[in-house]
Amino acid sequence: VLHRDDASIVRRMESAIAARLSGKPGGSVDVAYLDGDNTEHEVSLVREPDDRRRVAILNLPPSLMECDVRTLEGGVGYVSFSIFFLQLMKEIREGILSFRGAPGLILDLRGNGGGMAMMSVSVAALLLGERVDLGTMRNRNGVMRFPVFPVSDPVRAPVVVLVDGGTGSTSEMLAGALQEMGRVRVVGTTSAG
């Protein structure tokens, strides 16, 4: 049983599993696992090519860059994106705004480790009807403020933000600020920070 402070252990385990499974496309890897009934199974998996977009930020290794927008049962909107990066902003913006008339919106930030902090302002603007401040960030070089100037016709439906141990940095800032404002309900497990 893992406890609240074990999120970093889970992330390390996930990373170790991903490293074990990764390799050249066409190659195989043998995997043993237990199913829900605790029965052991062994399979050989063939690696598929991964043509998903990746982006490198500063000195960090390339990160997966994807955005998933879909309509769920009952017309509820669902938007998930892997990183706060400018190349995704058009997809994120169009995705969120496409649910202006939806009965609700789920913003899935699970596994989103953050990215460009100022993008939180752009995403928040799509959900807020008035000018607000998301907060202030202090670092060695000074203070950075995050003022939000809303779009003319934001999404006004109820919003649920999903978080987990992989939700970090900019994702946490956005979720926390919108929750504090009473604009969203945050659901999930303890985030990275």
Side-chain angles (χ1 to χ4, degrees):
V1 174
L2 296 175
H3 300 284
R4 179 176 177 229
D5 298 331
D6 295 333
S8 65
I9 294 170
V10 171
R11 283 194 305 279
R12 281 185 271 165
M13 287 172 32
E14 289 171 345
S15 184
I17 292 168
R20 171 83 169 104
L21 296 175
S22 66
K24 289 185 178 181
S28 64
V29 61
D30 295 326
V31 177
Y33 66 94
L34 298 175
D35 67 15
D37 296 324
N38 244 5
T39 304
E40 186 173 329
H41 300 273
E42 292 184 23
V43 295
S44 183
L45 303 174
V46 177
R47 294 181 182 105
E48 298 277 328
D50 184 359
D51 58 356
R52 296 176 294 178
R53 297 181 295 173
R54 297 190 182 278
V55 63
I57 300 174
L58 302 173
N59 295 335
L60 300 173
S63 297
L64 185 61
M65 187 172 75
E66 59 186 355
C67 183
D68 181 11
V69 177
R70 56 187 133 129
T71 303
L72 304 177
E73 189 175 320
V76 172
Y78 174 89
V79 178
S80 174
F81 53 99
S82 58
I83 190 169
F84 282 84
F85 200 65
L86 288 176
Q87 279 90 333
L88 279 180
M89 192 59 214
K90 182 176 186 230
E91 288 177 71
I92 295 166
R93 178 185 173 82
E94 289 174 357
I96 291 174
L97 291 179
S98 71
F99 296 113
R100 281 185 175 118
L105 174 65
I106 296 171
L107 183 58
D108 189 347
L109 298 179
R110 292 176 298 176
N112 185 322
M116 302 179 78
M118 286 309 291
M119 275 188 64
S120 62
V121 171
S122 300
V123 174
L126 306 172
L127 303 172
L128 296 168
E130 61 189 80
R131 191 215 175 280
V132 297
D133 288 316
L134 278 188
T136 304
M137 183 187 312
R138 298 184 198 298
N139 61 27
R140 288 179 237 160
N141 300 325
V143 175
M144 183 184 299
R145 297 190 190 327
F146 294 88
V148 176
F149 299 94
V151 296
S152 59
D153 187 16
V155 172
R156 298 189 188 279
V159 179
V160 170
V161 177
L162 303 180
V163 298
D164 68 2
T167 305
S169 189
T170 304
S171 296
E172 291 172 301
M173 184 175 76
L174 176 66
L178 292 175
Q179 179 181 33
E180 190 172 299
M181 290 174 201
R183 177 60 184 99
V184 304
R185 182 165 295 213
V186 177
V187 177
T189 57
T190 303
S191 62

